[in-house]
Amino acid sequence: MAKFMDVHDGFVGVTQVQLEEAHRRDLENEGAEGVHFEKAWLDPESGKVFCLSTGPSKEAVARVHERSGHPTTQIYELPVEVD
């Protein structure tokens, strides 16, 4: 399964509770696409959210985010990893 990081803009001033709700919607919608969202991070000052997921393709990740109400085109596959 491939690993992906995606970036969302426009979340200035969003709270942790709001991020948790957005992440929960992703978890509710992920199964239909074979995607799993592992974590999400928020920088409320810059309005950026970062999501780490695994799945079959960028397109599958994008479809889940679209269904969840927070689409993004900034999805990056992470084929190289070091510990």
Side-chain angles (χ1 to χ4, degrees):
M1 203 58 81
K3 193 173 279 191
F4 301 94
M5 177 69 69
D6 60 71
V7 183
H8 301 260
D9 294 307
F11 284 77
V12 173
V14 166
T15 66
Q16 180 173 344
V17 171
Q18 291 169 310
L19 177 63
E20 288 169 352
E21 172 61 23
H23 184 65
R24 182 191 60 73
R25 287 194 309 268
D26 285 332
L27 295 176
E28 288 175 355
N29 291 310
E30 69 183 13
E33 296 289 345
V35 171
H36 176 62
F37 287 92
E38 297 179 21
K39 290 187 183 243
W41 295 267
L42 166 68
D43 177 357
E45 267 187 48
S46 70
K48 295 206 180 284
V49 170
F50 304 87
C51 300
L52 180 65
S53 63
T54 56
S57 67
K58 290 181 187 182
E59 294 79 15
V61 172
R63 286 190 296 269
V64 174
H65 278 318
E66 179 78 31
R67 270 189 223 109
S68 299
H70 39 265
T72 185
T73 58
Q74 297 181 76
I75 303 170
Y76 306 96
E77 187 168 355
L78 306 172
V80 179
E81 182 175 337
V82 295
D83 290 321

